[in-house]
Amino acid sequence: MNYSIFILFFCLSLLCAGLTHANEQSKSEMQQKANNPEVFATVNGSVLGMNLYEFLLGSRHQDSLERQVQDDDFDAELNRQQTAKDLVMTELLAQQARRLGMHEGELVKVEMAMAEKTLLAQLYVKQLMDSIKVDEAQIRDLYDQQSEQTMYRFMIWRSPDQADAQDILKALKTGNRADTTDIIETPWLRDVDIAPEVNDIVRALEVSEFAEKPVFQDGVWKVVQIIDKQVSAKQSYEEEREIIRAELVRLKLDEKLEKLAEGASIVFNEQHVIQSGQ
């Protein structure tokens, strides 16, 4: 019996020694990982690369600059520390979610797939925009075409029926209440934000005047009244240059995207198209 107990204790001692050695080896390996200059931290053995930390810090760069301007007590070092904490906590939460099998859920898979496609699409669009060249002559030509800028605020009465819209306009012009509850008041709108066909109609109107007849737009008939109007002088070329350039880039980008869509083979499932159109 004594020999058996001795052997048992001897085996337990060897086991403990082995575990201690394994733990020390594991800690040593983790420390080696942590000391790698490309590693920011390890969380439960999972490596967080410096690229992740730098990406998160970079994504907050603009917000940090704005906070520095607005807040004299802003501490850049504390901001970096908070970014580090957020990165580690995100990893911890993600690990817990994986342990619970949440990453296997169908909705999560769909969201992750959509997030990947969206990111790739954004990256490609950025590449397209970077490749677009705008000549100074194009900017100057568009600037020369501009006149003073006009801003409007409208009251709009809407109706799906043209005859009903004409009745609403007639009632309003005679000072009576319009027989409709579909009324909206717009915020300030620049003339360039208004559809050309509508802009042509309202440009000559003064405050409180109605468009001569209902306007058909977005599938409904609209009775339009100007409730406020401001005309601003044309800004200098230097003030408008970047705005015009951005607009030209957007137009050229739209052309590239339309060409991409035209060259693609796109076939919709007809039953889904019918359902979505109902």
Side-chain angles (χ1 to χ4, degrees):
M1 178 67 70
N2 291 337
Y3 285 111
S4 299
I5 293 174
F6 174 78
I7 293 172
L8 176 61
F9 276 113
F10 180 71
C11 291
L12 288 173
S13 298
L14 289 176
L15 178 61
C16 290
L19 289 174
T20 301
H21 177 72
N23 287 334
E24 290 176 354
Q25 185 178 5
S26 177
K27 289 180 180 178
S28 176
E29 290 175 356
M30 290 176 62
Q31 191 60 50
Q32 287 178 4
K33 287 182 180 178
N35 291 336
N36 186 328
E38 295 183 0
V39 173
F40 178 72
T42 60
V43 180
N44 293 329
S46 294
V47 174
L48 297 178
M50 272 300 297
N51 56 351
L52 287 176
Y53 173 69
E54 291 170 350
F55 172 79
L56 185 58
L57 196 63
S59 68
R60 299 179 176 184
H61 179 66
Q62 186 59 40
D63 179 61
S64 299
L65 291 178
E66 293 175 359
R67 288 173 61 190
Q68 288 182 56
V69 173
Q70 299 171 3
D71 185 0
D72 294 334
D73 296 327
F74 177 79
D75 191 321
E77 179 58 32
L78 285 177
N79 180 63
R80 286 191 288 270
Q81 292 177 12
Q82 185 60 53
T83 301
K85 291 178 181 178
D86 292 345
L87 177 59
V88 170
M89 181 54 68
T90 299
E91 174 63 22
L92 280 171
L93 293 173
Q95 288 180 11
Q96 287 297 104
R98 284 185 174 278
R99 288 192 186 99
L100 294 173
M102 297 174 69
H103 62 298
E104 296 295 341
E106 288 303 315
L107 181 58
V108 174
K109 291 180 180 179
V110 170
E111 289 183 359
M112 292 179 69
M114 194 64 214
E116 179 184 10
K117 293 179 187 298
T118 301
L119 175 59
L120 289 172
Q122 290 172 344
L123 290 172
Y124 182 64
V125 166
K126 183 179 183 304
Q127 185 182 80
L128 285 178
M129 292 180 68
D130 291 341
S131 70
I132 294 173
K133 306 300 180 185
V134 177
D135 294 333
E136 197 71 24
Q138 293 176 293
I139 301 176
R140 174 64 70 175
D141 183 57
L142 196 57
Y143 174 78
D144 291 340
Q145 294 177 34
Q146 291 182 348
S147 56
E148 72 277 356
Q149 185 180 95
T150 306
M151 298 185 68
Y152 304 92
R153 286 176 59 235
F154 300 103
M155 192 69 76
I156 298 175
W157 292 260
R158 300 185 298 190
S159 174
D161 182 72
Q162 183 179 13
D164 181 54
Q166 289 173 333
D167 290 340
I168 292 172
L169 176 59
K170 182 178 179 180
L172 291 169
K173 281 188 171 182
T174 56
N176 296 319
R177 184 171 178 174
D179 187 19
T180 180
T181 57
D182 191 359
I183 308 171
I184 60 172
E185 181 179 330
T186 72
W188 283 104
L189 299 172
R190 300 179 303 167
D191 51 4
V192 294
D193 297 325
I194 302 170
E197 64 274 14
V198 178
N199 199 14
D200 290 341
I201 295 172
V202 302
R203 187 180 295 116
L205 299 178
E206 298 299 330
V207 174
S208 298
E209 288 188 331
F210 291 88
E212 184 179 350
K213 57 185 179 179
V215 177
F216 187 73
Q217 188 184 44
D218 303 326
V220 295
W221 290 93
K222 300 179 180 180
V223 174
V224 180
Q225 180 189 32
I226 294 181
I227 58 176
D228 212 342
K229 180 179 180 179
Q230 290 184 355
V231 180
S232 303
K234 184 177 179 179
Q235 293 185 323
S236 68
Y237 179 73
E238 289 71 24
E239 291 174 310
E240 286 289 306
R241 182 180 179 279
E242 287 305 312
I243 297 174
I244 296 173
R245 182 186 180 283
E247 178 63 16
L248 287 171
V249 169
R250 185 190 66 80
L251 292 172
K252 291 188 177 184
L253 176 63
D254 287 345
E255 291 177 2
K256 288 179 177 290
L257 296 180
E258 287 178 9
K259 186 176 180 180
L260 179 66
E262 289 172 358
S265 175
I266 303 172
V267 181
F268 289 101
N269 184 324
E270 290 187 1
Q271 65 181 28
H272 294 311
V273 172
I274 293 172
Q275 289 174 359
S276 63
Q278 290 177 345

